[in-house]
Amino acid sequence: MEKSSLTLLSADAVRRGDRAAIARAITALENEMPGAAALADALATEAGRAHVIGITGPPGAGKSTLIAALLAECTKRGRRIAVVAVDPSSPLSGGAVLGDRIRMSEQAAAENVFVRSLASRGHAGGLARTTRRIVDLLDAAGYDPVIVETVGAGQSEVAIAALADTCAVVCPPGLGDDVQAIKAGILEIADLLVVSKGDSALATATVRDLEGMLALRARRGGWKVPVLLTSAARGEGVAALLDAADAHAQACGRGRRLARPEPAPADERARTAALAARDAFARNCRIELVDAGAGHAEVAMTVGAEHLNFNGTCHGGALFALADTAFGLASNSHGRVAAGIEVHISYHAAAREGERLAARASEVSRTRRLATYRIEVRRGARGEGDLVASFTGTVYVTGRHHDSPDGEAPTRSSRRSP
Ligand SMILES: Nc1nc2c(ncn2[C@@H]2O[C@H](COP(=O)(O)OP(=O)(O)OP(=O)(O)O)[C@@H](O)[C@H]2O)c(=O)[nH]1
Ligand SMILES: [Mg+2]
């Protein structure tokens, strides 16, 4: 009783834009304190007004400096702006977050600006959920735009694409020379490409390189991704960047994170079972489907003599096959052909002949084009025992459907063409 009235009180204070209440609420969400989920629920219905802009890019690209310039531009235009900077909590970037705070502190002191750094501590899924709730809260508090800064490092950029209405990918000069340096997903999620440090020598060449790269790709739903040259140091191109972000929101809408229609669960279960039945490799490894649904799948196998390595324990390749099968089924459960881009596996314990192992895959984040999964391989028929291996994977979601009459057979192994 007392807790719920407390929640209502702080929800009201958040709606009024009370800075202390907002700061307290974010801390509660970050630490999953009692009442935090109820507060998030109380405010969730008011989310969807703010324009959420994701700013991502490689470490040191100039994201924070650019955001500081955007803060100044927004306040000049009389807008209330919030920034959430997500720290990947690596020892290397520990100092960078402090740097963010210092660089942004001048603007943060202003009444219409709210800046907060989050430490990601732990897995991407938890971070994605917390960040989403904090964005909803800032949205409900009337900030518009809400900017989210993340370092482009695999899964974080997938998470930001799910969250933001407009994704700006910041490319420092020189990166365009070596397109391979830009990881598979990062260009895929860009609504705006921003070349930073426009005052340095290579910047215009980088603009040309990126424009050349974009010319090779199909347009996305009528929106033409612009390449914008900025120099936060000189304050150049910042107004144009904000204008381009506004234009993207006009063209493609706001509240992208709130609308993610999913087909009925029964469809996914049946589809996943059909896919599993067509998987000759999994069948050869004696991997069986246990359960599946939207974005998740569970498979199991009994370690047999054919799974053993020269030490007499279960071969790492067999564990990989088990985890990868769950990954493939979960990522293809939505009906679109998903192609694996990147996986990572950690082995924790050995498994022996006769043991039953289960792998459970769950979706960590999903956008129109990219999705990430976490898979745990555990002992026991339903994975109730200890952890044997853990696996994370990212897929590229193609435009092809499993169910379409002229649809090709699913080829998870096929890489997407550029
Ligand atoms: N010459 C020049 N340097 C810049 C500009 N913007 C940022 N820098 C420099 O680039 C370095 C990195 O800038 P940050 O803004 O911290 O970059 P970041 O992408 O936020 O970095 P992380 O958060 O650590 O990934 C700093 O030394 C900045 O001074 C610019 O417009 N021109
Ligand atoms: Mg930064």
Side-chain angles (χ1 to χ4, degrees):
M1 194 64 205
E2 199 180 323
K3 193 195 281 172
S4 69
S5 60
L6 239 171
T7 301
L8 286 176
L9 256 180
S10 47
D12 265 348
V14 168
R15 284 189 197 98
R16 281 199 311 274
D18 178 330
R19 298 173 70 87
I22 295 167
R24 264 199 313 277
I26 292 178
T27 304
L29 288 174
E30 234 190 325
N31 299 305
E32 307 202 319
M33 278 149 63
L39 175 67
D41 288 346
L43 292 169
T45 51
E46 279 139 286
R49 295 170 297 186
H51 179 202
V52 182
I53 305 174
I55 308 260
T56 189
K63 301 177 292 295
S64 298
T65 315
L66 197 58
I67 290 170
L70 281 170
L71 288 178
E73 183 62 30
C74 279
T75 45
K76 207 164 85 190
R77 297 186 188 186
R79 295 174 72 174
R80 291 181 70 219
I81 174 173
V83 180
V84 182
V86 180
D87 163 33
S89 77
S90 79
L92 272 177
S93 63
V97 167
L98 197 61
D100 289 346
R101 285 199 172 131
I102 293 165
R103 275 197 289 278
M104 292 182 183
S105 63
E106 229 171 273
Q107 284 91 352
E111 188 52 35
N112 289 335
V113 172
F114 192 94
V115 178
R116 180 70 172 240
S117 292
L118 303 181
S120 69
R121 44 175 116 101
H123 68 107
L127 178 66
R129 189 176 56 237
T130 307
T131 312
R132 155 88 194 253
R133 285 181 168 175
I134 290 169
V135 167
D136 284 349
L137 182 128
L138 292 165
D139 186 347
Y143 289 100
D144 178 23
V146 175
I147 293 184
V148 183
E149 176 188 346
T150 59
V151 174
Q155 305 204 342
S156 63
E157 76 233 9
V158 178
I160 198 160
L163 193 64
D165 303 314
T166 303
C167 255
V169 175
V170 180
C171 308
L175 198 60
D177 293 346
D178 183 8
V179 172
Q180 297 312 317
I182 305 176
K183 292 193 62 173
I186 202 157
L187 282 184
E188 209 49 62
I189 63 159
D191 299 308
L192 310 173
L193 280 172
V194 182
V195 175
S196 56
K197 312 184 190 183
D199 48 287
S200 75
L202 287 168
T204 45
T206 302
V207 170
R208 264 200 315 277
D209 287 342
L210 290 173
E211 278 171 344
M213 236 153 64
L214 283 175
L216 300 173
R217 294 168 57 229
R219 265 203 192 201
R220 285 205 339 222
W223 174 253
K224 183 176 185 298
V225 177
V227 182
L228 303 156
L229 182 63
T230 61
S231 166
R234 293 187 186 158
E236 286 164 9
V238 177
L241 169 58
L242 192 57
D243 289 343
D246 286 345
H248 180 261
Q250 279 282 329
C252 302
R254 296 174 174 215
R256 193 194 267 183
R257 69 192 187 283
L258 304 171
R260 288 209 266 152
E262 301 286 2
D267 293 355
E268 275 124 359
R269 200 164 297 123
R271 177 184 303 119
T272 314
L275 293 179
R278 300 211 287 264
D279 192 332
F281 179 76
R283 206 167 44 241
N284 262 333
C285 297
R286 300 184 183 280
I287 295 169
E288 301 148 32
L289 179 67
V290 175
D291 187 26
H296 68 92
E298 190 181 330
V299 296
M301 71 176 199
T302 302
V303 180
E306 71 274 28
H307 296 126
L308 300 182
N309 61 21
F310 44 70
N311 286 323
T313 59
C314 183
H315 197 289
L319 294 174
F320 186 96
L322 184 65
D324 190 60
T325 301
F327 170 49
L329 292 172
S331 59
N332 281 273
S333 65
H334 297 287
R336 301 246 301 274
V337 176
I341 308 176
E342 188 178 40
V343 299
H344 176 88
I345 188 164
S346 303
Y347 297 109
H348 303 284
R352 314 210 171 267
E353 191 171 357
E355 275 186 306
R356 186 80 174 161
L357 302 177
R360 189 193 298 263
S362 24
E363 199 163 81
V364 172
S365 64
R366 179 180 172 84
T367 69
R368 216 166 55 84
R369 284 295 180 210
L370 293 167
T372 60
Y373 295 81
R374 176 169 171 83
I375 298 92
E376 287 186 352
V377 178
R378 290 182 174 275
R379 278 185 239 278
R382 293 303 303 264
E384 66 278 13
D386 63 325
L387 192 63
V388 173
S390 55
F391 179 115
T392 54
T394 303
V395 291
Y396 174 76
V397 183
T398 71
R400 286 179 291 132
H401 289 263
H402 290 297
D403 306 334
S404 65
D406 59 341
E408 303 164 51
T411 50
R412 273 192 59 244
S413 55
S414 68
R415 294 295 184 269
R416 70 198 167 97
S417 46

